[in-house]
Amino acid sequence: MSIWNYVVTAHKPTNVTHSCVGNFTSSGELNLIIAKCTRIEIHLLSPQGLQPMLDVPIYGRIATLELFRPHGETQDLLFIATERYKFCVLQWDAETSELITRAMGDVSDRIGRPTDNGQIGIIDPECRLIGLHLYDGLFKVIPFDNKGQLKEAFNIRLEELQVLDIKFLYGCSKPTIVVLYQDNKDARHVKTYEVSLKDKDFVEGPWSQNNLDNGAALLIPVPPPLCGVLIIGEETIVYCSANAFKAIPIKPSITRAYGRVDSDGSRYLLGDYNGLLQLLVITHEKEKVTGLKIELLGETSIASTISYLDNAVVYIGSSYGDSQLIKLNMHPDAKGSYVEVLERYVNLGPIVDFCVVDLERQGQGQVVTCSGAYKDGSLRVVRNGIGINEQASVELQGIKGMWSLRSSTEDAFDTFLVVSFISETRILAMNMEDELEETEIEGFCSEVQTLFCHDAVYNQLVQVTSSSVRLVSSITRELRNEWNAPAGYSINVATANATQVLLATGGGHLVYLEIGDGVLTEVKHSQLEYEVSCLDINPIGENPSYSQLAVVGMWTDISVRLFSLPDLNLITKEPLGGEIIPRSVLLCAFEGISYLLCALGDGHLLNFLLNTTTGELTDRKKISLGTQPITLRTFSSKNTTYVFAASDRPTVIYSSNKKLLYSNVNLKEVSHMCPFNTAAFPDSLAIAKEGELTIGTIDDIQKLHIRSILLGEQPRRICHQEQSRTFAICSVKYNQSGGDESEMHVIRLLDDQTFDFISTYPLDTFEYGCSILSCSFSDDSSVYYCVGTAYVLPEESEPTKGRILVFMVEDGKLQLIAEKETKGAVYSLNAFNGKLLAAINQKIQLYKWMLRDDGSRELQSECGHHGHILALYVQTRGDFIVVGDLMKSISLLIYKHEEGAIEERARDYNANWMSAVEILDDDVYLGAENSFNIFTVRKNSEGATDEERGRLDVVGEYHLGEFINRFRHGSLVMRLPDSDVGQIPTVIFGSVNGVIGVIASLPHEQYVFLEKLQTSLRKVIKGVGGLSHEHWRSFNNEKKTVEAKNFLDGDLIESFLDLNRSKMDEIAKQMGVSVEELCKRVEDLTRLH
Amino acid sequence: MWREIGDREAGKIRPNAFANRFKRNRIESLQLSNHKDIVSAHRGSINSLQVDLTEGRYLLSGASDASVAAYDVQRPTEYEGNGIIGKHKCLFVVDRTHESGHQYAVSSAVWYPIDTGLFVTGSYDYHINVWDTNTTQVVTNFKMPGKVYKTAMSSLATSHMLIAAGTEDVQVRLCDIASGALAHTLSGHRDGVMTVEWSSSSEWVLVTGGCDGAIRFWDIRRAGCFLVLDQSQSQLGRRPPILDRSATNKVSSSKSSSPSPNLPVKARAAQRKLSNGSSMKQSPIAKIPAKGPLRQRLHPGMLSAQDRATAHYGAVTGLKVTEDGMHLLSAGSDSRLRLWDVESGRNTLVNFETVRLQTSKPMQLATSQNSALVFVPCMTTVKAFDMWSGRTDLTFRGHYECVNCCYFSFQDQELYTGGNDRQILVWSPSRLVYDEMDEGPHQDQDNWSD
């Protein structure tokens, strides 16, 4: 890899952090607005459900999202503040369906220190001011003027340092805030202040309340007529106002989110950290509050935000599980729950760990993530591919072939679907009700297996069986002519097009027939030296119904041969090499280029460039698509030609920019496929798979497909072992039985196909699984799972004891082979020169795998290296060890074989708090840190002095805005030897917000070109709310802010493709290249993910 | 820690809160380092310590034997004790023998804030020298009218390169490195100036403490000082209550019945009463809110009573502004430590538990991350006080004679102290020693029977 990197999002953030409901797009429309950390989505509530209207990136991490309506406005405005102290006010422009920026600004201060508990942004219900709590001890006020415009902001000193929540009270003549805070002695109180805009200061508020529940952390202001505030604690809920105080005890729980049900503020939904949804009711007589009531409604995902929409429909936004749309029913269901889940919205966040596996060994990675938290923990299998939208399916076992036929030559749509079985052929047809029903074509022979079918000229149909070729009228459905195989021979393989039939019988006989009006003419016969395994005469020349070429795949000598038609002269013979016979051959043309595709019995596919005049085959390439024999078939969708390769890993082959591209289809084992373009299901495919016949359409783009495996517990670490075809995970189960909560830590073994738990190894009490690795050792052929653990005792601030457990998978069970006690938490494990390298607290420790006298094995420590604060993340390459320290950035160690010692070679002296590291190449290392930045450092082996050589130079810096937990080498797309993109090395990352991204190392020339493009795009694509892209991507932490370097924002660059033509022209002009060239280059990049 | 790391991974705790919590834990466990040892190159008492601001890597020390030395605190020169104890020897030392070295005690040694290419020393030989670090040659020097007590450069400055110098003389001098000339002098103190400190929120604001007991705030773009701290100015008016409190009788009664908070809490509450928190970066003069019972007016029209206000009885020996720019700490020869609210200039009355401070010399104070603790040399010990309550949180005993200076490294959460015993001690977060020893042969075990 290189230092010039391209960062792009493959899967957008899905962690819902904020949501609000209001009339944003029009005074009559109700909108749900969702913030997913760095994106906002605007939905419209319609009788059909939620309709997405807009999904835009925000150049910042959203800290506050609030709707408000200034005086005199008919619809709501949206206030957004970002974690880097920018704010903007957005309005919907109904004409262009775009967001327009009403106001924007910077609210950062030189003094004060950022709050630990996160930023608070609130808007006065009377719209007199916006209040922000960004720094301890300061309350920032942005006043509105009479016209609803924002005026200059000012700070008010806030005495309370540990603020937990601030809200505006309703119904106050002057804007009044209520502050929930903790004092020096950890007691919690609330206090009110009036904001005096004239004096720019606080005035003591109308009331205060001391010594609340120790867990009080949330304030809910109650609207008129009741007014006052609800204080939600862990054991009590208190209603408090100037003249009332009501409290009720609740079952201990931590409330995470609330949503107001009625506009009069008498009912609230509360969501807690276990995903329980409760209804809180304020009982009142007129305006006098008489009490509180709470009722459990049921269970949802763990809510981070709750928005009551309408008609008992509620949106539950979640950070730890899938977000949901739920309906609250009047009556409980059988389990006593009032909650009915209407819809789930997939959320991958937080991605705590993941692994990239190629389960099908075809060069395309799938990502398996440890997602979610608490009870919403899950594994997600993320895979790139083309999706099939299933429209109909029937159960049908043993399909041996399928062809679609038209009822007349002129008909634009297919009518019949011929399905062949081992001893019969059945014909399905679309009836008047657009249903598929079984029918008959009298002229067809239905008692035997059909080898091939095709539409033919003159309203005829061709059916080839093992004994004959039948020509049938598609109008009368009667047999018009039949060609019988010579006695003693049966037809093995056959193919046809509208005017030609080519078939092969046993003994290597190749027979060529031509179709006339009611006649089948045997034009040529030829005998080959070996049996024919497959053949094709798909017309790719000028004449769409007549082929000049025939291609034949041979047994025994394993070759493909090209013959000219009609004379069956051998033009080319191409030996394939190897021992696997060709199973399917296909002539096809993409974008005016002719190809010969040849699929082998072991799942490999060969492709050749075909010169149609000379028959010359050039540019041979071989890739693996699966492990089973492949059947090739062409189909077209939206006027583009595709080839479908049916196998255990169905693949669609197409061409873009004159390159062949391969895309997985999101289906398991497909045995046969044929296009089935009917009036009811246009552009559809009929697909035979696993005892089922499915009709469906195909996505026109490939995208990520996510399979969720809900665990009910939180997976923390995952790794895959190819040999045993298993995954192993470290996982935590939270139990809430009987009021007290306990955690149970286990190692689980899962089948890599079904994801069933096949074995579980429980860890000791207080023992946590910290790291997991599949590896083998020198002088031992077995493969092991190694697990690093820590004993986390409540009285210890840092673990002082842990274990390394070595397991072997035997009979589907985890067998403990060896264990080694350590003096601390085993944060990381790596396979290293046939040994095991562990990071234990401050130390890097190398273990040998030793054979004891009694034949058992043990880990024996060999050497170590001290000097880290906490060595959390370790990667190795050869003898090099790259350590990501908790707070001391990246250091490079080297293992010296002769001395058997590990020494420090170099280090980055910046104080980065690391969250992940990866080695890009021998010299360049990638790190992610605590303030949502990524950076690269380079080893300086050429340095003149020891000091220079001992320093890792920072070569790239970039603000990603995502907290990365893991980097892994790998790719989400198929890596093909013949594409440029295939040469670009990539690293995948996973973040807390559920983002899966790709970092690709570009050649310098391409980097420079794209950097220029990025600069041009910054001028054309303006950030929502006027936020600056340059500022957003600048590396920023406590110590410094510097411009991004040597990283490019792929999301911005790829948004070029979404621009309208005139803007594209403008940019192309600036760049000095044609729009087509630009599109092509950017499109190529989109294929990285 | 593993639990917190897990919470950070899952997004249950904010990354910055995670880092702050971890730093706090580390600071609480500060003790004499068992793995880092600075080999002092000095033969006189250590007067000044500072780690560079760019990389947090090079410690600069100035001592009474007229020597200045620099140490790499990140990379030990050698290891001892099974590779566990890192010895940090000085990278260079300049002393009297150097052609342009100081002749008398070095009272102050500070890095150029932008990079480690330069450092500045002030000495009792009346000179301030600016050194090129790589060649250890003097680049510029400034002659002062008396012993130099303290030099300081602003870490925020982007538009000036001024060294502020406090000397025996009553005037504070600003030396411009860019031109090599004295930029200007600040007059107001009535006695020598022991300590100078730049504001952490504005590059133009300088705070000075004199032997006359006064602490003065200067905006160096303007003539004269704009604020003199007065130790007797402490009571701030409460925020005006709203008139109609009848509705709140229940609450107010609960308030009045609650026992009066102890002094530190009250003091802290008091200091935060007033003022808008607008930053001082533009013009502090214009920003002083026109309210409160008493307002300083500006020099030269400043009332003489205000101009004569004192912050300490006796000399002001140490000053330290907090990281967030909202408070100032001062130490005086009256053995008092005071915390001031910068915005209003009020004494917060935080009662720092009885400290006995060295009175004759300037002292260097330090604050911890987030200004939670203040490290103060108290004779032979160093104490860490809680900033808001004044309680002693930690006591560091290790020096044999009086401690003169402390420096707290934010980056490593390490405390460096230097004293008259010529030692530079490192106080670092405790490391589990047995972790270091594990796996190794047990040669360190003694063979004594009980």
Side-chain angles (χ1 to χ4, degrees), chain A residues 899-1086:
Chain A
E899 293 118 81
I902 298 172
E903 285 175 12
E904 182 178 305
R905 174 59 72 84
R907 107 154 64 135
D908 171 27
Y909 286 95
N910 288 298
N912 291 318
W913 288 62
M914 304 304 293
S915 69
V917 291
E918 187 54 273
I919 298 178
L920 292 185
D921 63 19
D922 281 344
D923 296 327
V924 183
Y925 318 121
L926 173 69
E929 60 86 87
N930 211 39
S931 305
F932 316 110
N933 301 296
I934 54 175
F935 63 97
T936 45
V937 292
R938 185 168 54 190
K939 183 172 84 187
N940 187 0
S941 337
E942 309 300 306
T945 62
D946 276 354
E947 154 65 25
E948 279 171 33
R949 283 189 294 272
R951 188 188 283 270
L952 293 174
D953 295 324
V954 177
V955 285
E957 291 174 298
Y958 183 75
H959 186 76
L960 183 70
E962 288 290 331
F963 188 92
I964 295 181
N965 279 319
R966 184 71 71 192
F967 290 116
R968 298 267 188 211
H969 282 284
S971 168
L972 282 166
V973 288
M974 239 189 265
R975 308 319 287 277
L976 299 172
D978 60 334
S979 70
D980 296 344
V981 168
Q983 310 301 322
I984 296 178
T986 54
V987 164
I988 300 175
F989 63 81
S991 86
V992 166
N993 286 323
V995 171
I996 294 176
V998 175
I999 297 177
S1001 284
L1002 301 180
H1004 188 232
E1005 173 275 326
Q1006 196 179 4
Y1007 180 88
V1008 171
F1009 178 83
L1010 293 173
E1011 191 176 33
K1012 207 172 145 196
L1013 177 60
Q1014 177 176 277
T1015 312
S1016 308
L1017 283 168
R1018 271 178 181 162
K1019 291 179 201 136
V1020 174
I1021 302 175
K1022 293 289 178 207
V1024 172
L1027 298 173
S1028 145
H1029 181 265
E1030 212 168 341
H1031 179 264
W1032 162 229
R1033 292 305 182 191
S1034 62
F1035 181 96
N1036 166 265
N1037 65 14
E1038 275 178 330
K1039 266 192 94 179
K1040 64 173 185 182
T1041 301
V1042 288
E1043 227 173 273
K1045 69 173 176 199
N1046 289 336
F1047 281 102
L1048 291 178
D1049 185 353
D1051 296 344
L1052 179 69
I1053 288 172
E1054 288 171 21
S1055 62
F1056 173 78
L1057 299 173
D1058 305 331
L1059 293 177
N1060 59 33
R1061 182 70 195 203
S1062 68
K1063 285 189 170 170
M1064 281 188 176
D1065 283 336
E1066 187 185 324
I1067 286 167
K1069 214 170 129 195
Q1070 283 175 25
M1071 297 286 296
V1073 290
S1074 70
V1075 172
E1076 288 68 31
E1077 168 71 11
L1078 261 183
C1079 282
K1080 179 177 165 300
R1081 290 187 79 152
V1082 177
E1083 269 171 18
D1084 275 351
L1085 288 169
T1086 60

Side-chain angles (χ1 to χ4, degrees), chain A residues 17-18 35 37 58 60-66 79-86 118-121 132 134, chain B residues 14:
Chain A
T17 49
H18 303 77
C37 194
I58 301 291
R61 291 171 58 87
I62 295 167
T64 300
L65 178 87
E66 291 278 340
F79 174 80
I80 295 175
T82 71
E83 289 184 10
R84 284 173 72 179
Y85 308 107
K86 303 284 180 206
Q119 303 178 3
I120 297 171
L132 296 166
L134 310 174
Chain B
R14 281 165 206 286

Side-chain angles (χ1 to χ4, degrees), chain A residues 31-76:
Chain A
N31 302 103
L32 171 69
I33 300 178
I34 298 167
K36 292 178 172 172
C37 194
T38 58
R39 297 188 77 87
I40 54 168
E41 285 177 19
I42 299 170
H43 297 266
L44 176 69
L45 258 68
S46 70
Q48 290 78 42
L50 286 177
Q51 272 179 23
M53 291 183 79
L54 192 71
D55 174 6
V56 285
I58 301 291
Y59 292 156
R61 291 171 58 87
I62 295 167
T64 300
L65 178 87
E66 291 278 340
L67 281 172
F68 66 102
R69 189 179 302 187
H71 299 291
E73 296 280 343
T74 54
Q75 61 201 71
D76 293 337

Side-chain angles (χ1 to χ4, degrees), chain A residues 110 112 116 157 159 161 184 206 208 717 768 797 800 866 886-888 909 914 930 951 965, chain B residues 1 3 8-9 15 20 22 55 57 74-75 156 239 248 251 268 273 324 341 412-413 434 436:
Chain A
R110 197 59 184 266
D116 258 9
R157 214 52 174 273
E159 282 169 30
L161 282 187
N184 275 348
S208 64
R717 293 289 180 270
Y768 285 49
S797 66
T800 57
H866 310 284
L886 171 76
M887 51 184 281
K888 300 200 68 127
Y909 286 95
M914 304 304 293
N930 211 39
R951 188 188 283 270
N965 279 319
Chain B
M1 221 37 232
R3 185 182 285 272
R8 180 178 73 157
E9 273 176 3
N20 288 340
F22 192 76
E55 279 186 310
R57 187 170 169 191
Q74 299 289 357
R75 179 175 284 240
L156 302 176
R239 286 213 160 90
T248 66
V251 176
R268 181 177 148 218
K273 279 300 171 192
D324 61 11
D341 181 54
D412 298 301
Q413 293 88 43
Y434 57 85
E436 312 291 350

Side-chain angles (χ1 to χ4, degrees), chain B residues 55-248:
Chain B
E55 279 186 310
R57 187 170 169 191
Y58 299 105
L59 175 72
L60 191 65
S61 64
S64 293
D65 64 347
S67 62
V68 183
Y71 310 82
D72 184 339
V73 292
Q74 299 289 357
R75 179 175 284 240
T77 7
E78 60 185 44
Y79 287 97
E80 273 184 11
N82 217 0
I84 290 157
I85 302 165
K87 290 275 181 191
H88 299 258
K89 291 187 174 161
C90 70
L91 300 171
F92 63 80
V93 58
V94 280
D95 53 19
R96 274 193 201 100
T97 59
H98 190 276
E99 51 181 329
S100 43
H102 288 293
Q103 292 311 301
Y104 303 126
V106 173
S107 54
S108 173
V110 294
W111 287 108
Y112 178 58
I114 309 302
D115 60 51
T116 50
L118 294 176
F119 64 92
V120 178
T121 56
S123 161
Y124 282 9
D125 67 0
Y126 296 16
H127 277 92
I128 291 174
N129 286 354
V130 180
W131 302 79
D132 181 312
T133 314
N134 293 316
T135 61
T136 57
Q137 292 299 319
V138 172
V139 188
T140 322
N141 76 70
F142 302 92
K143 174 89 166 62
M144 294 290 124
K147 287 180 187 172
V148 179
Y149 289 129
K150 176 86 178 160
T151 56
M153 294 195 73
S154 170
S155 59
L156 302 176
T158 51
S159 44
H160 68 73
M161 288 172 75
L162 295 173
I163 305 165
T167 67
E168 275 183 313
D169 187 54
V170 294
Q171 289 182 323
V172 176
R173 283 172 166 73
L174 298 178
C175 313
D176 189 354
I177 299 182
S179 67
L182 279 184
H184 46 279
T185 54
L186 306 171
S187 309
H189 282 288
R190 290 174 174 77
D191 201 345
V193 178
M194 280 259 199
T195 173
V196 292
E197 175 94 352
W198 289 93
S199 159
S200 55
S201 56
S202 164
E203 62 171 302
W204 307 111
V205 174
L206 180 70
V207 192
T208 59
C211 297
D212 56 356
I215 296 173
R216 289 170 178 272
F217 279 72
W218 315 82
D219 182 328
I220 59 163
R221 293 164 299 182
R222 289 172 173 77
C225 84
F226 67 88
L227 178 64
V228 183
L229 297 183
D230 185 344
Q231 55 185 316
S232 63
Q233 286 292 329
S234 58
Q235 290 303 311
L236 296 178
R238 286 193 65 80
R239 286 213 160 90
I242 55 165
L243 294 174
D244 180 14
R245 292 185 63 106
S246 58
T248 66

